[in-house]
């Protein structure tokens, strides 16, 4: 079966731009083996030979393995074709859908002119993964992050919650969910989400940064400065944190309830750092 005639499981896949034909997987593996031998890499040669033998049964997983190997050597177009052929052989092969989602996500970051198409294709692939494997954590997590990047905050929150149910001790769903909640103005649930992520991963400074920003928006200056201090204690080189703390300090000096900040001008930069550290750092 040729790639052009693949019975793809969803209509969106058919919108993908034309990709290189891949009708001879054995030739692809021979090329990969020759490249590996030329570099003196024997281990990949044995792996390629083992995978090549699986094509005797037209097994979908063998096409998936070929796609992964082509992707490793940077042959993205033929990797995409191999994943699609794997889906043609086995429409319910979760790993092929997931691999396509990851590949299309990377393309959305690299190909600015068609990034929206790649994002939509990645979303469709991840949604297919969650339908086929509803207990697969990374299917929900990657789907939620793609929705977050697209600005679909409410849908992303639901997907992050699904991921949290599967891996309740993983800090990343709560962290991303906090950003989504903040984006739709739900500050208190966002604070709770960031605090949960902090509890699960206390050494990740950006949790404290995000928490401090929300507390700052709510006018809770003391709590905001505490959060920024904790972030600096973990990583003193974080960009913009000193300016964030300085704005909190100035706001407290002017009016504890004020949410209006004066900009930091260039003449301030050389004078406030040492006194500021003395006030805020342990």
């Amino acid at each position: 079966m040729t790639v052009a005639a693949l019975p793809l499981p969803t209509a969106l896949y058919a919108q993908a731009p034309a990709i290189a034909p891949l009708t001879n997987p054995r030739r692809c593996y021979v090329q990969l083996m020759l490249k590996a031998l030329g570099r003196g890499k024997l281990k990949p040669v044995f792996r390629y030979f083992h995978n090549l033998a699986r094509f005797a049964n037209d097994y979908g997983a063998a096409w998936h393995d070929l796609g992964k190997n082509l992707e490793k050597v940077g042959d993205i177009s033929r990797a995409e074709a191999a994943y699609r052929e794997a889906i043609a052989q086995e429409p319910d092969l979760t790993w092929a859908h997931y691999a396509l989602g990851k590949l299309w996500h990377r393309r959305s970051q690299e190909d600015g002119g068609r990034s929206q198409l790649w994002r939509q294709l990645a979303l469709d692939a991840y949604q297919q993964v969650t339908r086929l494997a509803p207990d697969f954590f990374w299917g929900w997590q990657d789907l939620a992050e793609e929705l977050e990047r697209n600005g679909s905050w409410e849908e992303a929150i639901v997907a992050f919650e699904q991921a949290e149910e599967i891996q309740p001790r993983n800090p990343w769903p709560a962290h991303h969910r906090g950003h989504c909640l903040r984006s739709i103005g739900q500050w208190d649930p966002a604070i709770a989400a960031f605090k949960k992520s902090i509890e699960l991963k206390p050494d990740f400074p950006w949790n404290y940064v995000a928490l401090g920003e929300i507390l700052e928006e709510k006018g809770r200056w003391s709590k905001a400065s505490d959060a920024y201090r904790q972030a600096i204690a973990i990583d003193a080189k974080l960009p913009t944190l000193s300016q964030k703390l300085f704005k909190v300090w100035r706001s407290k000096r002017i009016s504890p309830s004020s949410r209006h900040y004066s900009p930091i001008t260039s003449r301030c930069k050389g004078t406030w750092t040492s006194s500021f550290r003395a006030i805020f750092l342990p």
Side-chain angles (χ1 to χ4, degrees), residues 75-272:
D75 196 341
I76 302 303
S77 291
R78 290 202 294 175
E80 181 180 349
Y83 293 141
R84 295 178 64 168
E85 186 69 34
I87 292 170
Q89 297 290 334
E90 293 187 49
D92 292 343
L93 188 61
T94 302
W95 301 116
H97 290 284
Y98 183 67
L100 270 177
K102 299 293 282 186
L103 185 149
W104 282 329
H105 164 66
R106 284 193 294 274
R107 283 198 162 185
S108 74
Q109 295 179 311
E110 297 167 0
D111 186 357
R114 292 184 296 192
S115 60
Q116 189 58 43
L117 170 62
W118 298 123
R119 282 198 208 101
Q120 190 59 53
L121 287 165
L123 273 174
D124 191 65
Y126 291 142
Q127 286 169 347
Q128 186 76 353
V129 170
T130 58
R131 285 192 289 269
L132 294 170
D135 293 331
F136 178 43
F137 169 80
W138 286 109
W140 288 107
Q141 181 69 13
D142 287 331
L143 171 62
E145 289 184 24
E146 203 67 49
L147 289 166
E148 182 184 5
R149 281 186 284 268
N150 282 359
S152 302
W153 314 119
E154 290 86 354
E155 295 176 71
I157 290 167
V158 173
F160 283 128
E161 288 172 346
Q162 290 288 338
E164 284 182 88
E165 286 185 15
I166 298 168
Q167 289 191 14
R169 301 300 300 169
N170 192 309
W172 305 122
H175 173 79
H176 286 280
R177 185 165 56 83
H179 283 296
C180 293
L181 288 164
R182 180 186 177 188
S183 296
I184 61 176
Q186 295 188 21
W187 287 352
D188 290 334
I191 289 172
F194 285 121
K195 285 183 176 179
K196 178 180 178 180
S197 189
I198 287 170
E199 179 184 344
L200 296 171
K201 191 170 177 62
D203 60 343
F204 183 57
W206 292 106
N207 277 325
Y208 299 99
V209 173
L211 179 60
E213 288 173 347
I214 297 175
L215 293 167
E216 193 178 342
E217 289 170 0
K218 290 175 68 69
R220 296 164 63 179
W221 313 117
S222 179
K223 294 290 186 181
S225 65
D226 288 344
Y228 290 144
R229 287 175 59 194
Q230 287 175 298
I232 289 179
I234 296 169
D235 186 354
K237 296 181 181 180
L238 283 176
T240 73
L241 267 189
S242 294
Q243 291 189 15
K244 287 179 182 293
L245 272 167
F246 183 61
K247 289 198 302 185
V248 172
W249 174 66
R250 291 191 66 183
S251 298
K252 288 174 69 177
R253 289 287 297 272
I254 296 168
S255 171
S257 60
S258 173
R259 290 177 55 199
H260 301 285
Y261 310 123
S262 300
I264 299 174
T265 59
S266 57
R267 61 186 174 83
C268 299
K269 292 180 180 177
T271 58
W272 59 266

